[in-house]
């Protein structure tokens, strides 16, 4: 009844700042987090399995059910190791349930996985993403267990614990005859609508009588006539465990839709069922039940979320209500009194630690810390503490063992081990701990001491998927009403007492083989955590030695090879800068004089130095030295005798300089010579002009950014000459055009725009293949890129002095380098559309050229190309594969049905089969010029057929290639201006180009799939040395969907489905992404324009946090900008909208401070692999508008489509006289899918 609503929470994923050429550490083997202070394990949500998690936790905390399941040994159930044997009868569901319960009880992990259990149910990935009703699951799971346990000692497990009987009686008022009917039940369904609570509902069902009288009479079997009678129902047999399902969902017949009943519905913690039972003479204890589980539903009837409140009957968990920030803050500011004189002691360390501990966010700015101190104490730091402690920032820096700075040194926070712990003495109270309040010991430690009150097993926990937290019993009353309210109630008989040895003992009654398995798993987890801690805290630094560098052309360049100039050093991030300096001294024994360490960064111009590291007492993590950072070792003054300017104000910028040049081959046109120059970003534009144009001239910049297809050029005006290179927007890869005095006719200086360029003029060769005398003449034809092929053909016929009647029965075919005639070019194509280059050779041949809706194909019969000549055929692109095959068979003189078509692969051998015979050639992406193989036989079954797509870059600027600009009354095209870019950018606007299909076994790995992809014909021109140079995605709605990681993983493990399509993206270097690394595409906005530079890939490690601050910090580090000088937004291409990601400086109200910071992977951002992040540099552009002109056009088209759909719907309503207006407005929801669990036969 629910759609695909939830995704697995992966907010455990981190922020890793990788340096250049830095290989990210694989995190595939990173162990799961250990249990929290409650010592209870949650269950991971597979996407929509919160309903399953809630029910499984209820069954786990039903000790009698759990122990009955554990009592079934391998001799009855079999073993999981034998499940793959064909004749073995292994009862997989109870075995997997046993194993899951053992993991939840004993395995030291925060949350267990139900993947193995759901696979034993026969569920696929779609079922795991679809949410169902927990009441329905309860019945189906019990039925599956009963079927699985047939023939074992546990065959009556469900009936023994949950089976009850209701008896319905009808009493005749005349003869007193009683007619009764028994009904078995495993759970009772009670009404919610119009009822105040559970006891009233039970009273209505099992105490109130229904009377048959007046016109509504009952036919008595004994009297054999219609008589007055009374009907009632009673509970005849009570089960040990009573399950009650609340009918929260109803149907509104007026609105014709479902709704959820959210009115108040009370239920007691203890209930006496004597009034509702048939037999009432037994002792009260036989009828008393205690509530121990409440499954709660939050949301509406078409979607929502489940979690469960559970009473810890066996006292397996640590029940400690954690201290709230407000209480913690007030306790922190308690006066520390001397035992003798009770004199108030002012301790600035305690005050600051108290403020920082109160903050939910890990760090706050130093200014905010000072402001909060003023609010709490009523006096500022300068007035109260500066005299004896110094400035606040200096005081924080003097205590690095307690306070931790952010990498940009703007924020400060407490180190984890210094958050104020509360400890209690024998009296439960200490000078350094807050007192007990309301009988509850406040404790924020990881593993606090267990506290039990007089009634054992009375503590409650909220188990919400992976999260477990203690609650108070009175919190249950909050679930009586509202959108988040109780949905299922579980009661146990008060008579059921637990043995003393079971209390606090999670190992109780667990079989020996499961104990051994869990012990081994815990040992392995501890080992992995120790290894992971060592690996996570070790950072690799690249030390660049000044003796191996020289300063040249505005940047540092190695005088030796890269390996000889750089020394790699691995060091623990928790060590201090002084330890790092000492390690470098030990490595460089011959170093003399002062040693200065500076942060370095590799730029296109070379290596550039930034800030000097000089705080030896701070840790490497505290000063922001990240894994893979570059550190330059020098004397702080010069390198090789040359003074070096450091800092972001002196960054070198590589600029492409273009000059006009004459190019006469094939005609006249404007072409360019290109050279690269390096300038400091603080260089004034006037100085740049003197260097590039010493004799005078005009300099134009590329207004569309560093893109070789850009054609928008602007003149630098006189007032720009006082500005710097950075302030006018010149960055690495930008192009400037130098026009000397004789070239200035092309520029309208007053408007600052380039006015006119002629068309590109090309020449083509045409060779005559229509001659009968064997003489093959060739001529040179002059044409522009807009010349139509039919005009070229007529020019060639005249130049070759052929009869003009030949024009009706001839075509032009490109000639390949080895002399082969390729597919004819349609006559309505232009030179540009035909993708012909200057000097291309065309053949004039007999036969008509195919139209734009036809395909020219080659084909051979059989797999031996030497034995079968290559033939040609023209077919419609709408023809089916079967029709095309029949035409080929007819042309080759063959017949029969035992044939099929295959594509030709890059080895010119029979490759992928065209198995969809009813599909059209266009649908299968068969293109003109393709070669097909007519192969005998049918396609063998047993393979997974996967269509493969590949990313084809298409710059956004290309959409404007055909636009015309009207300047000074002259219309001209800008195609002649081709500018190359030196930046290593990746296009964000990428088209999916069909590459073919592959047939591969499901057991094959992702690496095998990539190897097979490389052999496809379209990859012949792609240089892909290894599979790790390819990035694989699933295709979702014609866009890249899920990123496939881990080359060694089998395709079956991905649960791709039968209709999956995969696209691959060629990479420039190897890539091994871990599961906690997010791949984003970031693009910087062009200052002053509604456009962006090309995007770049950004790998973001989110294992620690996936918050706004972490993303802003990562993006700012990537662009070497201050965090507070950028704005970022996520792009939603399907809506053509940008959603700004809120600034980290946003003020948070006190009421919202308690709330944990939301992950960017949840609403509203839903950040995932491949998302586009727009970046605004506030130093150059103060515009907060992220949208582009293309977004405006896209939105306008969407609005037009929506308007057309609206008009169409209105027309349909006018024609429809059957349904009323209300029925037409019914909301359409996803169709319901029945829940099922597949069970083997064990009878």
């Amino acid at each position: 009844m629910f759609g695909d609503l939830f995704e697995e929470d992966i907010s455990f994923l981190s922020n890793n700042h990788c340096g250049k050429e830095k290989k990210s550490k694989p995190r595939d083997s990173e162990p799961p987090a250990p249990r929290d202070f409650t010592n209870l394990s949650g269950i991971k949500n597979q996407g929509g399995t919160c309903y399953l998690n809630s029910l499984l936790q209820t069954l786990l905390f039903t000790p009698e059910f759990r122990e009955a399941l554990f009592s079934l040994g391998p001799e009855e159930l079999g073993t999981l190791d034998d499940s793959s044997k064909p004749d073995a009868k292994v009862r997989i569901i109870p075995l997997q349930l046993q194993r899951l319960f053992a993991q939840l009880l004993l395995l030291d992990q925060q949350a267990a996985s139900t993947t193995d259990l759901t696979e034993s149910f026969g569920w696929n990935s779609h079922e795991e993403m679809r949410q169902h009703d927990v009441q329905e699951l309860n019945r189906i799971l019990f039925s599956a267990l009963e079927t699985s346990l047939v023939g074992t000692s546990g065959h009556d497990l469900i009936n023994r614990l949950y089976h009850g009987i209701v008896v319905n009686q009808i009493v005749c008022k005349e003869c007193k005859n009683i007619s009764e009917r028994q009904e078995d039940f495993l759970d009772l369904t009670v009404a919610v609508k119009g009822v105040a609570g559970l006891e009233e509902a039970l009273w209505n069902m099992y105490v109130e009588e229904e009377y048959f009288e007046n016109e509504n009479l009952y036919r008595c079997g004994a009297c054999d006539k219609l008589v007055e009678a009374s009907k009632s129902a009673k509970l005849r047999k009570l089960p040990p465990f009573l399950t009650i399902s609340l009918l929260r969902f109803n149907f509104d017949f007026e609105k014709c839709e479902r709704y959820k009943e959210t009115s108040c519905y009370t239920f007691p913690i203890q209930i006496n069922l004597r009034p509702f039972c048939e037999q009432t003479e037994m002792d009260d204890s036989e009828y008393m039940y205690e509530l121990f589980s409440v499954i709660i539903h939050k949301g509406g009837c078409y979607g929502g979320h489940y979690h469960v409140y559970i009473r810890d009957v066996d006292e397996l968990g640590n029940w400690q209500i954690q201290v709230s920030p407000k209480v913690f803050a007030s306790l922190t500011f308690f006066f520390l009194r001397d035992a003798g004189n009770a004199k108030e002691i002012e301790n600035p360390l305690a005050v600051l630690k108290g403020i920082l501990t109160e903050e939910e966010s890990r760090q706050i700015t130093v200014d905010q810390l000072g402001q909060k101190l003023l609010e709490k104490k009523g006096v500022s730091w300068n007035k109260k503490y500066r005299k004896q402690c110094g400035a606040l920032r200096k005081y924080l820096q003097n205590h690095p063992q307690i306070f931790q700075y952010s990498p940009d040194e703007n924020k400060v926070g407490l180190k984890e081990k210094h958050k104020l712990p509360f400890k209690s003495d024998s009296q439960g109270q200490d000078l350094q701990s807050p007192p007990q309040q309301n009988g509850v010991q406040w404790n924020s430690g990881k593993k606090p001491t267990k506290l039990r009150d007089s009634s054992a097993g009375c503590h409650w926990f909220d188990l919400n998927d992976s999260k477990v937290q203690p609650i108070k019993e009175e919190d249950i009353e909050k679930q009586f009403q509202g959108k988040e309210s109780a949905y299922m109630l579980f009661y146990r008989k008060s008579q059921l007492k637990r043995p003393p040895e079971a209390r606090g003992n999670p190992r109780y009654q667990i079989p020996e083989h499961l104990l051994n398995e869990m012990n081994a798993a815990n040992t392995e987890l501890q080992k992995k955590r120790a290894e992971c801690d060592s690996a996570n805290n070790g950072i690799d630094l690249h030390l660049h030695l000044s003796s191996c560098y020289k300063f040249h052309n505005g940047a540092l360049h190695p005088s030796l090879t890269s390996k000889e100039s750089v020394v790699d050093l691995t060091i623990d991030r928790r060590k201090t800068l002084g330890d790092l300096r000492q390690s470098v001294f030990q490595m460089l024994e011959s170093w003399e004089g002062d040693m200065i360490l500076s942060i370095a960064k590799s730029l296109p111009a070379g290596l550039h130095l930034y800030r000097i590291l000089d705080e030896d007492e701070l840790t490497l993590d505290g000063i922001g030295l990240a894994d893979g950072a570059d550190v330059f070792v020098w004397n702080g003054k010069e390198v090789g005798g040359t003074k070096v300017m450091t800092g972001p104000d002196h960054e070198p910028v590589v600029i492409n300089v273009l000059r006009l040049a004459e190019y006469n081959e094939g005609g006249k046109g404007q072409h360019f010579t290109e050279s690269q120059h390096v300038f400091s970003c603080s260089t004034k534009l006037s100085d740049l002009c003197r260097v590039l144009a010493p004799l005078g001239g005009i300099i134009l910049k590329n207004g569309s950014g560093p893109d070789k297809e850009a054609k928008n050029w602007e003149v630098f005006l006189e007032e720009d000459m006082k500005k710097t290179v950075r302030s006018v927007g010149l960055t690495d890869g930008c192009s400037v055009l130098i026009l000397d005095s004789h070239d200035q006719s092309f520029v309208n200086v007053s408007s600052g725009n380039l006015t006119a360029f002629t068309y590109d003029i090309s020449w083509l060769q045409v060779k005559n293949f229509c001659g009968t005398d064997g003489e093959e003449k060739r001529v040179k034809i002059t044409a522009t890129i807009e010349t139509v092929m039919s005009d070229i053909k007529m020019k060639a016929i005249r130049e070759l002095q052929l009869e003009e009647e030949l024009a009706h029965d001839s075509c032009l075919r490109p000639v390949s380098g080895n002399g082969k005639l390729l597919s004819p070019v349609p006559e309505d194509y232009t030179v540009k559309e035909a993708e012909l280059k200057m000097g291309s050779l065309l053949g004039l041949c007999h036969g008509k050229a195919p139209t734009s809706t036809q395909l020219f194909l080659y084909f051979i019969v059989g797999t031996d190309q030497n034995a079968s000549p290559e033939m040609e055929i023209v077919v419609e692109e709408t023809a089916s594969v079967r029709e095309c095959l029949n035409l080929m068979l007819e042309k080759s003189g063959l017949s029969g049905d035992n044939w099929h078509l295959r594509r030709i692969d890059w080895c010119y051998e029979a490759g992928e089969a065209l198995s969809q015979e009813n599909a059209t050639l266009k649908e299968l992406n068969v293109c003109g010029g393709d070669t097909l193989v007519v192969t005998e036989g049918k396609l063998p079954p047993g393979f997974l057929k996967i269509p493969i797509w590949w990313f084809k870059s298409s710059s956004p600027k290309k959409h404007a290639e055909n636009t015309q600009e009207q300047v000074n009354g002259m219309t001209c095209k800008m195609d002649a201006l081709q500018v190359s870019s030196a930046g290593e950018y990746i296009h964000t606007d990428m088209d999916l180009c069909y590459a073919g299909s592959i047939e591969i076994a499901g057991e094959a790995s992702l690496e095998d799939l990539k190897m097979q992809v490389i052999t496809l014909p379209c990859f012949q021109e792609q240089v892909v040395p290894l599979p790790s140079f390819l990035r694989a995605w699933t295709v979702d709605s014609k866009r890249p969907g899920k990123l496939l990681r881990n080359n060694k993983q089998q395709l079956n493990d991905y649960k791709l489905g039968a209709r999956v399509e995969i696209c691959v993206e060629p990479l420039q270097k190897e890539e091994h992404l871990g599961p906690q690394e997010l791949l984003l595409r970031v693009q910087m906005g062009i200052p002053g324009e509604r456009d962006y530079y090309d995007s770049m890939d950004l790998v973001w490690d989110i294992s620690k946090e996936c918050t706004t601050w972490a993303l802003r910090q990562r993006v700012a580090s990537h662009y070497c900008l201050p965090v507070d000088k950028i704005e970022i937004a996520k792009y939603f291409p399907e809506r053509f909208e940008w959603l700004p990601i809120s600034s980290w400086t946003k003020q948070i109200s006190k009421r919202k401070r308690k709330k944990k910071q939301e992950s960017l992977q949840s609403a509203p951002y839903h950040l995932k692999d491949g998302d586009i992040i727009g970046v605004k540099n506030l130093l150059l552009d103060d515009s907060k508008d992220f949208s582009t002109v293309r977004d405006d056009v896209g939105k306008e088209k969407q609005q037009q489509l929506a308007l057309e759909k609206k008009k169409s719907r209105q027309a349909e309503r006018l024609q429809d006289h059957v349904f009323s207006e209300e029925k037409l407005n019914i909301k359409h929801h996803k169709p319901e899918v029945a829940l099922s669990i597949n069970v083997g036969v064990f009878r």
Side-chain angles (χ1 to χ4, degrees), residues 6-15 30 44-47 110 465-466 1042-1043 1045 1074-1080 1100-1107 1156-1163 1166-1169 1171:
F6 306 100
E7 294 181 358
E8 181 64 34
D9 177 20
I10 52 172
S11 57
F12 57 87
L13 296 180
S14 148
N15 186 10
E30 187 164 339
K44 295 178 183 177
N45 192 330
Q46 296 189 52
Q110 184 179 4
D465 290 338
S466 301
K1042 177 183 176 183
L1043 181 61
R1045 293 172 166 83
Q1076 295 93 341
E1077 290 177 320
L1078 203 60
L1079 177 68
L1080 302 175
W1100 180 28
D1101 188 345
I1102 57 173
S1103 60
K1104 291 183 181 177
E1105 57 178 342
C1106 183
T1107 60
K1156 186 178 179 181
Q1157 197 166 6
E1158 295 290 342
S1159 168
L1160 290 180
Q1161 292 180 315
S1162 58
H1166 299 289
L1167 208 61
K1168 61 183 184 303
D1169 289 312
D1171 279 349

Side-chain angles (χ1 to χ4, degrees), residues 892-1076:
S892 56
L894 300 173
S895 61
D897 296 331
N898 196 31
W899 299 90
H900 68 273
L901 284 179
R902 287 182 176 269
R903 300 181 193 268
I904 204 83
D905 63 12
W906 68 283
C907 297
Y908 212 73
E909 296 177 351
E912 174 213 358
L914 302 180
S915 57
Q916 303 178 31
E917 294 187 341
N918 294 325
T920 65
L921 300 177
K922 183 178 181 180
E923 292 172 344
L924 296 180
N925 290 285
V926 177
C927 304
D930 285 355
T931 302
L932 302 179
V933 182
V934 180
T935 310
E936 190 170 6
K938 296 291 184 180
L939 181 68
F943 289 92
L944 186 64
K945 184 175 180 181
I946 304 178
I948 302 296
W949 302 74
W950 68 293
F951 273 143
K952 183 179 180 183
S953 301
S954 67
S955 172
K957 283 77 180 176
K958 288 185 179 180
H959 300 303
E961 282 182 351
N962 296 325
T963 61
Q964 293 183 339
E965 296 189 4
Q966 191 79 18
V967 183
N968 297 336
M970 177 180 293
T971 301
C972 59
K973 290 201 173 181
M974 309 299 289
D975 292 308
L977 194 56
Q978 302 290 333
V979 184
S980 63
S981 171
E984 297 178 356
Y985 293 100
I986 303 171
H987 293 293
T988 56
D989 289 359
M990 308 182 85
D991 297 333
L992 287 178
C993 179
Y994 183 72
S997 295
I998 62 172
E999 299 164 19
I1000 191 169
E1003 292 77 14
S1005 66
L1006 179 61
E1007 186 176 31
D1008 298 331
L1009 180 141
K1010 291 181 179 180
M1011 287 294 294
Q1012 196 164 338
V1013 166
I1014 295 174
T1015 65
L1016 292 175
C1018 72
F1019 282 89
Q1020 294 180 26
E1021 298 180 0
Q1022 300 289 331
V1023 180
V1024 184
L1026 293 171
S1028 55
F1029 282 78
L1030 286 179
R1031 184 184 293 156
W1033 307 74
T1034 60
V1035 178
D1036 185 13
S1037 301
K1038 298 182 180 180
R1039 290 192 183 96
K1042 177 183 176 183
L1043 181 61
L1044 302 182
R1045 293 172 166 83
N1046 190 354
N1047 283 339
K1048 302 300 181 183
Q1049 191 166 335
Q1050 289 188 357
L1051 298 180
N1052 287 337
D1053 295 338
Y1054 291 107
K1055 299 182 181 180
L1056 298 173
R1059 298 184 179 180
V1060 69
E1061 299 183 12
I1062 291 179
C1063 62
V1064 293
E1065 178 182 358
L1067 304 174
Q1068 298 298 320
K1069 59 182 180 181
E1070 288 186 273
E1071 180 177 81
H1072 301 279
L1073 291 178
Q1076 295 93 341

Side-chain angles (χ1 to χ4, degrees), residues 74-115:
E75 63 279 0
E76 291 187 277
L77 302 181
T79 62
L80 292 174
D81 294 336
D82 297 336
S83 59
S84 58
K85 297 180 180 178
D87 298 330
K89 287 204 171 184
V90 179
R91 305 170 194 267
I92 299 180
I93 293 179
L95 282 174
Q96 291 290 6
L97 202 54
Q98 279 186 347
R99 191 166 179 267
L100 176 63
F101 281 1
Q103 291 175 349
L104 290 170
L105 290 170
L106 300 178
L107 202 56
D108 184 20
Q109 59 181 4
Q110 184 179 4
S113 172
T114 56
T115 303

